[in-house]
Structures are given as structure tokens and as C-alpha cells.
Amino acid sequence: MAGSVVLKLILTLVLCTVQVLCAKKPAEVLRHSVTRYGYPVELHKVTTQDGYILSLVRIPGKSGKAPVLILHGLLSSSVDWTVQGPDKSISFIASDEGNDVWLGNVRGNTFSKEHKTLSSKESEFWHFSFHEIGLYDLPAMVDYIRSNTSSDTIHYVGHSQGGTVFLVMASMRPDYNRKFASVHLMAPAAYIYHATSPAVDFASRIDELEMFAKLTRSYEIGGRGPGSSMDLVYAGHKTGLVPTSLVLTNIWYLVGVHDSINRTVLGEILANTPAGCSVYQLLHYGQNYLAKSFQMYDYGPVRNIQRYGSKIPPEYPLQKVTAPIMLYYSAGDNFVPAEDVEELADQLPNVVHKHMIGLRKWNHIDYLFDGSAHRLYRMIVASLRNQSADGNSRK
């Protein structure tokens, strides 16, 4: 009896903590993620061609430099580019060099859940994959940044899905290639058929995932908010009920064991990551994994014929990606293995640099949270200085 009372008190404490932790509005979280370290910040809203309203975070820099757009991966957000703080996070390292830094948030994550006509509670809101993000979100961000700066070209840095959507945009809307001074893709998730992570196996269970989503009318994966499982984990960790070792064990199960995350920022990471995505993003990756291809969404033979004119979805025309691309990858990445990035490099016409990270255990999230990731960031930022931005001033 006493045990059940204690358990109820503990659960009540956790739930109350969750409510307190979720009290901050998304805009406040974004602003605080930058200003807490003494940097100036601007928040911008960008509306896509199909009505999604996205959040952009700007850390203003010196005039005369091409802006830098940094885009997160699946289940992530702009906060992940600031969580390690000054001298450690790429956003601040780039800002310290005088760069005009823009951090994007794609549709469906915690900070981009608005639409002109749809509510995020409606299933129709979630009917998108990384295809729509590349076709609409990224172009909207690029156009907005160019129209609000004096630069005709921008630099781009993307991780994982941030690389996927760039390749979608640059292949499907090739006019955008000329708008980039340089493109830096960390573990770009295009070809992933050598992936060994249990998460990829989960995403490839397409029929089960889609049926579950339709039966439960729940199309969001890893979302945040009062009552969400991820906020319960965060609250449990913050109150000490969920030990750090348990959190890390579950992370390592998915990405591979590499004890590289700074324990002092783990709580900060859990506060906002994962940041949610659509089940169709996972399904699209699962389809590509099974098809051993980088192709458009598979709607089934009948709808594919109606949409594409063929039973099988077409591959993205990577030969049209002419922007100068630098690739960063690791042999220890079980989501986007080195051999898959090498395959991608062979398909792209303008790869100007490839960098294989030497650490054998460097995994997919080390690009974000490894305590030594700042060394990679400094390499990328240094290359921005060396990439001359043609046509900095508008003609």
C-alpha cells in the first residue's frame, strides 16, 4: 500500500514537472537557445508554397559575407546547433568568424507546426516526406534569406536529412544550384542500403508503420508537448528517476556505442531532442533502404502510374546537382555508412572535397553532440572563408 502511494507521488511529481517544462513557448525556446550565450538573435517566419509556416533563427553577422544556412536532420531542430554553447557549436563558431548565420526548422518539428489553413492536429498536416521538405521548405528558406540580405549566394551546411533535402531541391529544382557558394553535407542520407541501425529496420517495416498510423490517426513520431513520451523521459531524467546510463544505453542501441556525449549537456539535449517528424518521412527512408535506391516516394503501382507515369518511383536526377559539394562522413556511422556516401559521390557531378572522419566509432549523432565535433565545425567554417561567393551584391 505504501509503495503504491509513493509511486503515485513520484508519477504526480514527474507529470507536474513535465507541465512546467513544457510551459515555454517555441519562440521563447528558440530565442533562449542563442541569447543565453550572449549572442544577438532574430526570429523569422517563412511560408512555403504549400502553406507551411517555418521558423528561421538568425544570428546576425558582418555585412559583405555570404549568409550561412544550417539545417538539421530527421527528428532534430535548430536548437541542436547551439546546445554545446560557444566554441563548441557550429552556429557560434561560424558567428565568431563574422558570418551571418541562419538556422532552419523544417515542417513538423517543434518549431514549425503552423500552416495557413491546417492544424497540426489534422492528419492532412502530416502528409509529407522529405520530398516536400526539399521541394518547398528549403527553397522557401533560401529565397527568404536572399531577399533579406545583400547576398545573391549563400553557403549551406546540412546534416543527415539536411543533406537529403538539399539533394532533392537541387535535382528537382536545378535553378537553385547557382544560388549556393558552397554546400557542406555531413552524413547525407541519400543512399542508405548498407545501414545497420535498428532504426532503419524499424522504418523499413512499411506496411506495419502505415497501418498503425492510420488506425491510431497518429502521424507524428517523436513529438513534444504535454503528455508526450519524450517529455516524460526528459522530466524523468531531470528529476533523477531516469538515470543517464539508461538514456545513453538506448541511444547507443540505435547509433552504436561511442561514449562521446558531454554528460553536462545531455539534459539540454533531451529538453528539445527529438523534435518530432512525420511518419511518412520514416516511411520514405524505409522505402529507399529496401529499394537500394535514392528515389521518390512509393505510393504503390496504381498511384505511381498516375503520378510518375511508371509503376516504380523514379530516382532523383542527381546529375542535375551542380552546386559545389563537400562531403563529410565516417566508417562508424550505421545510419549513413561510408560506402553509401561514396556511392553518392560517384553520382554527383561537382564534388569538390570528401572528408572521411578518422575516428572509428564516430556515429551519426556525433556530428551534433560529440565533444570534439568543434574540430569538424572549424574545418567547415574555415572552408567558408576560402569559398568566394560570386555576386555577393545584388545586380
Side-chain angles (χ1 to χ4, degrees):
M1 183 70 176
S4 64
V5 172
V6 171
L7 180 60
K8 287 181 181 178
L9 287 173
I10 291 173
L11 289 174
T12 300
L13 174 62
V14 170
L15 290 172
C16 288
T17 304
V18 168
Q19 291 174 351
V20 171
L21 295 174
C22 293
K24 277 189 177 181
K25 294 180 179 179
E28 294 173 350
V29 174
L30 289 179
R31 189 178 299 278
H32 180 67
S33 71
V34 176
T35 58
R36 63 183 297 194
Y37 299 112
Y39 288 78
V41 68
E42 298 173 5
L43 301 185
H44 296 258
K45 293 287 189 181
V46 181
T47 303
T48 68
Q49 184 180 329
D50 57 345
Y52 288 83
I53 302 170
L54 316 175
S55 293
L56 271 176
V57 179
R58 183 187 191 183
I59 307 174
K62 296 177 182 177
S63 61
K65 284 198 170 188
V68 183
L69 171 59
I70 307 175
L71 194 61
H72 60 81
L74 186 71
L75 290 166
S76 189
S77 75
S78 64
V79 176
D80 290 327
W81 300 122
T82 63
V83 72
Q84 292 210 60
D87 299 321
K88 294 283 189 179
S89 296
I90 190 172
S91 54
F92 300 131
I93 292 172
S95 179
D96 290 342
E97 288 291 320
N99 293 287
D100 186 9
V101 178
W102 296 73
L103 309 175
N105 288 283
V106 305
R107 65 181 67 191
N109 86 356
T110 305
F111 308 105
S112 294
K113 280 190 169 181
E114 297 177 84
H115 190 279
K116 289 173 67 176
T117 59
L118 298 172
S119 163
S120 61
K121 295 179 180 179
E122 298 177 67
S123 62
E124 190 179 347
F125 177 94
W126 298 99
H127 283 191
F128 61 83
S129 77
F130 61 70
H131 179 82
E132 285 74 20
I133 296 172
L135 206 61
Y136 301 119
D137 291 20
L138 187 50
M141 293 178 191
V142 172
D143 291 343
Y144 185 88
I145 292 169
R146 291 176 70 241
S147 67
N148 283 273
T149 63
S150 60
S151 182
D152 195 46
T153 57
I154 70 173
H155 298 287
Y156 181 79
V157 180
H159 170 246
S160 189
Q161 182 185 255
T164 313
V165 299
F166 176 84
L167 297 170
V168 170
M169 178 194 69
S171 62
M172 300 297 290
R173 303 181 70 170
D175 285 349
Y176 276 86
N177 282 284
R178 63 180 176 80
K179 301 178 182 182
F180 292 89
S182 68
V183 177
H184 305 261
L185 305 183
M186 298 182 284
Y191 299 106
I192 57 170
Y193 52 83
H194 289 99
T196 58
S197 168
V200 176
D201 179 63
F202 172 74
S204 66
R205 295 164 68 176
I206 294 168
D207 292 339
E208 296 171 53
L209 264 176
E210 193 164 20
M211 182 177 293
F212 178 80
K214 289 178 178 178
L215 286 174
T216 61
R217 298 191 61 80
S218 177
Y219 295 88
E220 182 183 14
I221 303 292
R224 309 306 287 253
S228 78
S229 59
M230 296 317 306
D231 278 332
L232 284 172
V233 170
Y234 169 49
H237 181 263
K238 193 172 181 67
T239 56
L241 295 175
V242 178
T244 295
S245 59
L246 180 60
V247 174
L248 292 176
T249 298
N250 280 276
I251 292 173
W252 292 336
Y253 171 72
L254 296 174
V255 302
V257 178
H258 187 203
D259 196 2
S260 56
I261 297 177
N262 186 337
R263 301 293 201 279
T264 62
V265 299
L266 181 59
E268 299 287 341
I269 294 169
L270 293 175
N272 297 289
T273 305
C277 73
S278 167
V279 67
Y280 293 105
Q281 290 167 261
L282 290 181
L283 289 172
H284 199 168
Y285 280 117
Q287 291 174 356
N288 281 358
Y289 171 72
L290 294 174
K292 297 185 178 181
S293 174
F294 181 43
Q295 63 186 32
M296 299 177 202
Y297 196 89
D298 190 343
Y299 293 92
V302 175
R303 291 181 63 190
N304 285 344
I305 290 174
Q306 295 171 347
R307 182 176 288 260
Y308 308 124
S310 63
K311 291 183 178 180
I312 300 173
E315 295 187 28
Y316 288 103
L318 293 177
Q319 72 277 6
K320 295 182 179 180
V321 182
T322 57
I325 291 180
M326 278 144 273
L327 299 171
Y328 307 86
Y329 56 107
S330 164
D333 190 337
N334 65 359
F335 275 94
V336 185
E339 51 264 55
D340 288 334
V341 180
E342 292 284 358
E343 169 68 17
L344 173 63
D346 289 341
Q347 301 299 320
L348 295 172
N350 194 16
V351 174
V352 298
H353 180 68
K354 294 189 297 182
H355 177 74
M356 167 79 86
I357 295 167
L359 298 175
R360 185 174 57 85
K361 290 188 175 181
W362 183 280
N363 63 39
H364 198 65
I365 64 170
D366 281 334
Y367 293 93
L368 299 170
F369 306 130
D370 190 297
S372 65
H374 62 92
R375 297 191 182 107
L376 174 62
Y377 300 157
R378 292 181 194 283
M379 180 191 304
I380 293 173
V381 171
S383 73
L384 302 184
R385 293 197 299 265
N386 300 330
Q387 294 286 331
S388 59
D390 295 329
N392 270 345
S393 299
R394 285 196 173 280
K395 297 179 181 179

